[in-house]
Amino acid sequence: MEHNKKLSKMFDTLSDALEFLGENTFKIQAYRKVARFLENFPEDIEEYYKEHGHKGLKALPGVGEKIALKIEEYLKRGTFKKYEEVVSQVPMGILELLDIPGIGPKTIKLAHDALGVNNLSDFKRVIQDGSLEKLKGMGPKKVENIKKSIDMYYKMKGRIPLGEIFPFVEKLKEYLAASEYVEKIEVCGSYRRRKETVGDIDILCVSKNKDAVIKRFVNHPDVSRILAQGETKASCIFNERVQVDLRVVPESSFGAALQYFTGSKQHNIHLRTLAKQAGYKISEYGVYKHSEKVAGEREEDIYGILGLDFIPPELREDRGEIEKAKEHALPHLIERSDIKGDLHVHSRYSDGTMTLRELIEKAIKMHYEYIAVCDHSQSARYAHGLSIEDLRKKNREIEKLNEEYGAQILLKGAEVDILQDGSLDYPDDVLKELDFVIGSVHIWSKKEDVTPRILKALENPYVHTIGHPTGRLINKRGPYKVDLEKVIEHAEKLGKFLEINAYYERLDLNDIWSKRAKEMGVKLTIGTDAHQIGQLWMMDLGVYVARRGWLEKGDVLNTLPLNELLKTLKHRR
Ligand code: DGT
Ligand code: CA
Ligand code: CA
Ligand code: ZN
């Protein structure tokens, strides 16, 4: 799918560049449409082209003769002439600016034409000195939003969403573990703590042949650059995107190194202070008392010797876990195996690619008791929302399939838009026919506070949970304006739930807000928001968020077996 992504990005850049150059809008719209289509196209465009040829390309929505030729050219030579031509007319610094989500080509063009802005540092200067604000059509509000977008861009640049890197890291670990010389291997750092984004990847291993392991590492086919290569350490950039550090340590200090390099830094600092008070010294080599080594091989012992219970990596953020470990009062964290089903997936009925039959088969494969099929509602034109008639048709198909499989595996669900006035996008008598209802805000204006809409939606007796409660997209856009304390309070009062959306770019609610919800007495539902069969694994990511949020099995609705789940869902009405 690399080609889909890259080509989609190229069409986006092409449209941005054309817009910056002041070209005709019809073409630009066409390129943008293709970019969006490719982003979501479930098949590999190269495979598709091999099978269906030029004619097949033209059959795709938004693809005419000219665009088909561009795609073909790209598949042959990795780029296309139109792209090269246009992009070469735009200064490099402008291209970077165009890449920042939240700053449009029109604004950049304006700043370029009127103030000579050619790159990000020019742009920051004209924000600082107030000259951007004075331009026609700008003003303080707009500039404020641009500032926020730049901050976000800086903050996120380089940090990679956990879910994006996860499959790669697991494969790399397997690749290294396959060496006969690797005795133990563990990925540590923020990755092991399952933080929502990671800066770099830290791998630790034990080996009797350090040299062979380091060679195997730097010779991996995906290495684009070797940054450092020593006797016990190496650092490489993989796929021009992510830095991986490998350290080979002796068996006798593996536990200490694991503890040290898992972090977080704050957690380690706190732990060291505690150790000092008890007369110990901790380092990446072990725990020492009067220069005698008293622990180091096993990670549990590092905590044990200080009188602490073992602290799961997801909790190691210095948010009170060390105190709780001392009191033997750590939460018993939820496990992936506690999850009995997925409470948010989309089917082909709306904007997903899965048939209901594929979903039921997948549920069985994953040992799920249920999957709630929550397609978009009628006014969600952007996502092929279902008319009432189609929703009912889908419900009947679900009933028939469940009957065929002899169990209520697919639940009749919907992800219903919370409309401008807080009402829901289906009438109550339609919602009543559903097993599970998610209310979501999908459309909002920048200045709008959506809190009243969500509070009102919670009051609808048929709504069970609020989908992706903040609307943020990691690295792409911040949350909408919402007072989550109020939302949680209201959900608690009404006995409603809130969602941990496990889609890798959302992870919404996040760890901190999930913890807050639990503290305030609200349970969470976890759903992947999968649109394709290859996305249901993201339940893992949702469980990581829950664990980082200190949640236990009882805090998550979809740990319930089917019968109890259905009882709970009905009871809430
Ligand atoms: P990242 O890579 O930004 O997502 O975050 P981490 O937590 O993986 O941080 P990284 O890669 O810089 O370092 C890995 C671990 O090494 C970190 O979690 C804790 C440990 N560490 C790094 N620097 C220090 C330090 O100055 N003091 C202490 N106590 N530990 C450190
Ligand atoms: Ca790291
Ligand atoms: Ca590192
Ligand atoms: Zn949604």
Side-chain angles (χ1 to χ4, degrees):
M1 302 301 256
E2 274 316 295
H3 287 307
N4 299 29
K5 233 193 217 160
K6 196 167 156 210
L7 194 53
S8 159
K9 179 98 201 313
M10 285 172 92
F11 276 115
D12 256 333
T13 306
L14 177 59
S15 343
D16 285 345
L18 282 171
E19 213 166 318
F20 175 78
L21 295 169
E23 278 233 17
N24 113 32
T25 54
F26 171 72
K27 250 201 230 156
I28 295 172
Q29 289 317 325
Y31 294 146
R32 284 214 195 281
K33 228 167 122 188
V34 179
R36 290 292 74 69
F37 171 78
L38 284 167
E39 203 176 14
N40 297 309
F41 189 46
E43 287 177 64
D44 187 297
I45 191 74
E46 192 177 26
E47 296 297 316
Y48 177 87
Y49 175 62
K50 270 188 204 149
E51 196 173 324
H52 303 281
H54 183 79
K55 232 179 166 173
L57 288 180
K58 275 174 64 179
L60 298 173
V63 179
E65 176 67 20
K66 283 193 174 148
I67 288 180
L69 285 171
K70 290 181 177 67
I71 297 176
E72 271 182 294
E73 190 185 344
Y74 164 83
L75 289 172
K76 281 186 192 123
R77 44 186 293 265
T79 180
F80 54 93
K81 223 159 91 212
K82 178 78 180 175
Y83 174 83
E84 294 173 303
E85 241 171 58
V86 172
V87 166
S88 68
Q89 293 173 54
V90 179
M92 283 295 291
I94 294 288
L95 287 174
E96 184 183 10
L97 279 172
L98 288 167
D99 211 28
I100 302 176
I103 309 179
K106 290 210 177 72
T107 304
I108 296 167
K109 183 171 169 50
L110 185 69
H112 172 81
D113 293 352
L115 304 168
V117 167
N118 272 315
N119 52 45
L120 185 52
S121 59
D122 289 349
F123 202 66
K124 282 195 323 205
R125 178 175 43 78
V126 299
I127 291 174
Q128 210 71 46
D129 67 17
S131 51
L132 183 67
E133 197 177 305
K134 293 201 193 86
L135 291 184
K136 208 176 147 212
M138 290 309 292
K141 269 244 173 83
K142 265 197 170 160
V143 172
E144 192 49 47
N145 282 326
I146 289 174
K147 257 200 218 148
K148 273 191 202 148
S149 301
I150 293 178
D151 285 349
M152 181 88 143
Y153 177 72
Y154 271 118
K155 222 166 54 196
M156 296 307 185
K157 204 175 147 185
R159 292 199 70 81
I160 305 171
L162 179 66
E164 187 181 322
I165 201 78
F166 205 85
F168 162 76
V169 176
E170 292 302 305
K171 261 197 250 143
L172 178 60
K173 190 176 159 188
E174 273 170 36
Y175 164 88
L176 291 169
S179 155
E180 54 178 319
Y181 301 113
V182 170
E183 285 154 45
K184 280 185 187 163
I185 181 159
E186 204 62 68
V187 183
C188 18
S190 51
Y191 183 86
R192 183 163 180 241
R193 304 197 311 278
R194 306 304 194 216
K195 219 175 138 169
E196 64 190 29
T197 61
V198 299
D200 68 2
I201 302 294
D202 309 276
I203 304 182
L204 211 59
C205 72
V206 173
S207 170
K208 292 212 172 69
N209 189 344
K210 292 184 286 223
D211 204 43
V213 175
I214 287 184
K215 277 219 180 84
R216 185 171 173 82
F217 177 66
V218 301
N219 287 330
H220 187 284
D222 291 347
V223 168
S224 9
R225 209 143 43 92
I226 301 172
L227 300 174
Q229 183 175 356
E231 254 176 60
T232 57
K233 275 198 312 202
S235 274
C236 298
I237 304 283
F238 282 73
N239 299 317
E240 281 162 30
R241 174 96 167 96
V242 61
Q243 180 177 334
V244 184
D245 301 338
L246 175 75
R247 289 181 182 80
V248 189
V249 300
E251 173 122 47
S252 60
S253 60
F254 182 72
L258 190 55
Q259 196 289 317
Y260 180 87
F261 290 110
T262 295
S264 65
K265 199 169 155 182
Q266 282 331 101
H267 173 90
N268 285 357
I269 289 170
H270 191 159
L271 201 68
R272 242 182 302 165
T273 312
L274 198 77
K276 227 188 212 160
Q277 288 163 358
Y280 293 103
K281 198 178 154 286
I282 303 185
S283 73
E284 59 186 284
Y285 305 105
V287 184
Y288 298 83
K289 186 146 203 173
H290 313 302
S291 73
E292 185 200 343
K293 188 164 170 174
V294 291
E297 190 172 336
R298 291 164 13 114
E299 192 182 36
E300 303 90 285
D301 299 343
I302 313 292
Y303 291 98
I305 208 145
L306 299 174
L308 305 179
D309 287 345
F310 179 78
I311 302 177
E314 292 95 330
L315 296 184
R316 300 183 195 172
E317 299 292 348
D318 198 21
R319 293 178 187 154
E321 72 280 6
I322 292 178
E323 290 83 349
K324 290 283 183 212
K326 212 185 323 187
E327 299 160 15
H328 309 294
L330 283 171
H332 188 77
L333 296 184
I334 181 174
E335 311 260 353
R336 174 62 180 81
S337 55
D338 292 330
I339 297 292
K340 300 284 197 308
D342 193 327
L343 288 180
H344 188 165
V345 310
H346 294 264
S347 79
R348 202 176 269 194
Y349 272 91
S350 64
D351 58 346
T353 61
M354 300 169 278
T355 63
L356 295 179
R357 188 176 291 277
E358 279 169 325
L359 273 170
I360 208 165
E361 291 284 346
K362 183 72 176 173
I364 293 165
K365 235 199 227 144
M366 292 180 77
H367 305 288
Y368 277 160
E369 290 188 27
Y370 46 84
I371 287 182
V373 192
C374 302
D375 283 302
H376 289 285
S377 56
Q378 50 189 347
S379 63
R381 297 266 150 65
Y382 54 89
H384 307 286
L386 269 61
S387 66
I388 293 174
E389 197 184 323
D390 284 343
L391 178 67
R392 288 190 162 136
K393 198 172 130 209
K394 178 184 133 185
N395 288 346
R396 282 196 300 275
E397 195 188 332
I398 286 180
E399 282 163 9
K400 264 184 31 208
L401 271 170
N402 284 340
E403 209 169 297
E404 182 186 327
Y405 283 78
Q408 193 176 351
I409 299 172
L410 296 185
L411 303 185
K412 290 174 274 183
E415 183 185 15
V416 187
D417 269 44
I418 299 172
L419 302 176
Q420 209 62 43
D421 62 355
S423 66
L424 287 157
D425 194 24
Y426 287 128
D428 283 2
D429 63 323
V430 173
L431 295 177
K432 197 156 61 181
E433 298 165 8
L434 299 170
D435 301 312
F436 186 63
V437 176
I438 303 172
S440 294
V441 173
H442 285 123
I443 293 169
W444 66 91
S445 62
K446 266 193 190 140
K447 45 187 194 300
E448 182 190 358
D449 179 350
V450 304
T451 314
R453 272 163 83 177
I454 296 184
L455 297 186
K456 189 160 171 225
L458 279 167
E459 282 163 19
N460 180 299
Y462 300 105
V463 168
H464 292 108
T465 193
I466 301 295
H468 42 73
T470 79
R472 67 96 175 245
L473 289 177
I474 294 174
N475 288 7
K476 288 193 177 155
R477 69 169 186 234
Y480 41 59
K481 244 186 240 162
V482 63
D483 184 340
L484 278 180
E485 289 276 335
K486 267 195 197 151
V487 169
I488 297 171
E489 208 178 274
H490 214 57
E492 195 276 330
K493 204 173 74 194
L494 295 162
K496 299 294 174 87
F497 305 94
L498 295 173
E499 181 182 67
I500 294 176
N501 188 296
Y503 189 72
Y504 81 104
E505 282 187 315
R506 290 194 181 271
L507 303 183
D508 177 11
L509 294 176
N510 66 8
D511 48 358
I512 291 177
W513 281 108
S514 300
K515 184 163 188 257
R516 187 79 191 121
K518 175 192 170 136
E519 286 162 1
M520 291 172 70
V522 172
K523 289 190 190 189
L524 288 299
T525 60
I526 307 183
T528 57
D529 207 348
H531 285 65
Q532 299 168 22
I533 210 90
Q535 293 172 343
L536 276 100
W537 71 272
M538 291 182 192
M539 181 56 73
D540 294 9
L541 303 175
V543 173
Y544 298 147
V545 172
R547 288 172 63 87
R548 287 179 57 84
W550 294 52
L551 301 193
E552 306 186 284
K553 184 177 176 184
D555 301 317
V556 172
L557 184 68
N558 39 320
T559 58
L560 292 180
L562 178 66
N563 282 337
E564 285 177 49
L565 174 82
L566 291 175
K567 237 188 285 166
T568 307
L569 293 176
K570 280 200 191 105
H571 176 73
R572 297 298 146 129
R573 293 183 165 171

